[in-house]
Amino acid sequence: MKLDILVFAVHPDDAELGCSGTIVKHIALGKKVGIIDLTRGELGTRGSAEMRDQEAADSAVIMGLHARENLRFRDGFFENNEAHQLEVVKMIRKYQPELVLTNALHDRHPDHGRAGDLVNDACFLSGLSKVSTQVDGMAQEAWRPRLVLQYIQDRYIKPDVIIDITPYFETKIAAIKAFKTQFFNPELDEPDTYISSPEFFESVIGRAREFGKTVGATYGEGFTSHKLLGVDNLFNLR
């Protein structure tokens, strides 16, 4: 299946927090969107890898994803090396996305930046015909997305582009709340963590309001880009 947008997330719930409004908006526009989770988030204090698997599946239904896979890299200890790059290349060539969205290049969690670098490197390598990959015994053709963007996560980073997600914000919240073990949930008897407090959830809403206000919307999501971005009509800017 060819996708229009392929989202990479080092942990299940990263995509939901960082760009699920953008995902849902583009699905509503008729685009095909999928997520590749790099790890199962097995080092998370709350819940388990199996619970995260189910939560990711539940969230995929809420967002209306066309595909979701997990590469099962080792949470916390994967590396940006040849072996991991080639696994990401296989996914890029499998789904042939026009756009890739991935983790912030610098963030509180060290996995985020390492994953962002890994995916950016793999997107370049995926376009080289002499980089050989196979899936199910079949050789893959080279494919390079035309644009890679990083969604903004815990730490504030000045965005290069902001997407108005106002009509889809409630769906974003529902997708995040699908991860019942990870975020504020008074019904669970689990240890408190940085992301399980009600204040953290309020900060997610506040960030969306901040980005939205900047572009004259109620809610927004921000992205950064390695390369300069262009449009063919000034009236497409806001």
Side-chain angles (χ1 to χ4, degrees):
M1 180 194 304
K2 176 174 168 48
L3 298 176
D4 298 295
I5 301 174
L6 185 58
V7 182
F8 286 92
V10 65
H11 306 116
D13 74 27
D14 281 354
E16 282 78 3
L17 286 167
C19 64
S20 55
T22 299
I23 290 171
V24 175
K25 178 172 189 171
H26 284 82
I27 290 173
L29 291 171
K31 303 298 185 182
K32 290 185 170 62
V33 185
I35 293 177
I36 306 296
D37 296 306
L38 301 185
T39 78
R40 300 172 74 200
E42 63 269 21
L43 292 184
T45 302
R46 295 161 64 95
S48 65
E50 292 74 21
M51 291 176 181
R52 299 283 287 273
D53 291 344
Q54 184 58 57
E55 290 167 347
D58 293 342
S59 177
V61 172
I62 292 169
M63 290 187 287
L65 293 179
H66 296 87
R68 188 166 201 164
E69 298 192 44
N70 195 304
L71 293 181
R72 294 179 175 240
F73 292 168
R74 190 179 175 201
D75 190 13
F77 296 98
F78 70 93
E79 297 180 16
N80 182 10
N81 59 18
E82 180 179 355
H84 290 85
Q85 289 166 359
L86 288 175
E87 292 304 309
V88 176
V89 167
K90 289 178 185 178
M91 294 296 101
I92 296 167
R93 291 176 172 179
K94 176 179 178 178
Y95 289 109
Q96 299 184 337
E98 300 298 320
L99 277 66
V100 162
L101 309 179
T102 191
N103 290 90
L105 297 178
H106 305 283
D107 206 42
R108 173 181 175 271
H109 197 307
D111 279 2
H112 294 174
R114 193 161 67 254
D117 287 335
L118 168 60
V119 172
N120 271 276
D121 290 350
C123 284
F124 182 84
L125 293 170
S126 185
L128 301 179
S129 60
K130 290 185 178 179
V131 174
S132 176
T133 56
Q134 293 186 351
V135 170
D136 298 328
M138 299 291 291
Q140 293 182 299
E141 294 183 2
W143 180 271
R144 183 175 294 147
R146 63 180 181 85
L147 181 63
V148 182
L149 298 175
Q150 293 77 224
Y151 44 87
I152 295 168
Q153 300 189 255
D154 185 70
R155 290 181 180 168
Y156 177 84
I157 301 173
K158 184 179 179 180
D160 295 311
V161 61
I162 293 174
I163 306 297
D164 179 358
I165 62 163
T166 304
Y168 309 99
F169 187 70
E170 293 305 319
T171 307
K172 175 186 175 78
I173 295 300
I176 295 171
K177 287 185 174 180
F179 291 86
K180 297 177 182 178
T181 63
Q182 300 305 301
F183 303 108
F184 179 66
N185 186 346
E187 298 178 2
L188 288 185
D189 183 19
E190 292 271 7
D192 292 334
T193 67
Y194 175 75
I195 66 172
S196 72
S197 70
E199 290 78 15
F200 176 83
F201 209 88
E202 288 300 317
S203 75
V204 173
I205 298 171
R207 173 69 58 75
R209 285 189 177 276
E210 178 184 19
F211 283 157
K213 182 186 72 169
T214 305
V215 294
T218 305
Y219 298 106
E221 288 176 339
F223 299 85
T224 62
S225 174
H226 268 313
K227 72 174 189 176
L228 293 175
L229 302 173
V231 293
D232 59 6
N233 187 325
L234 287 175
F235 289 91
N236 289 332
L237 294 170
R238 54 184 293 187

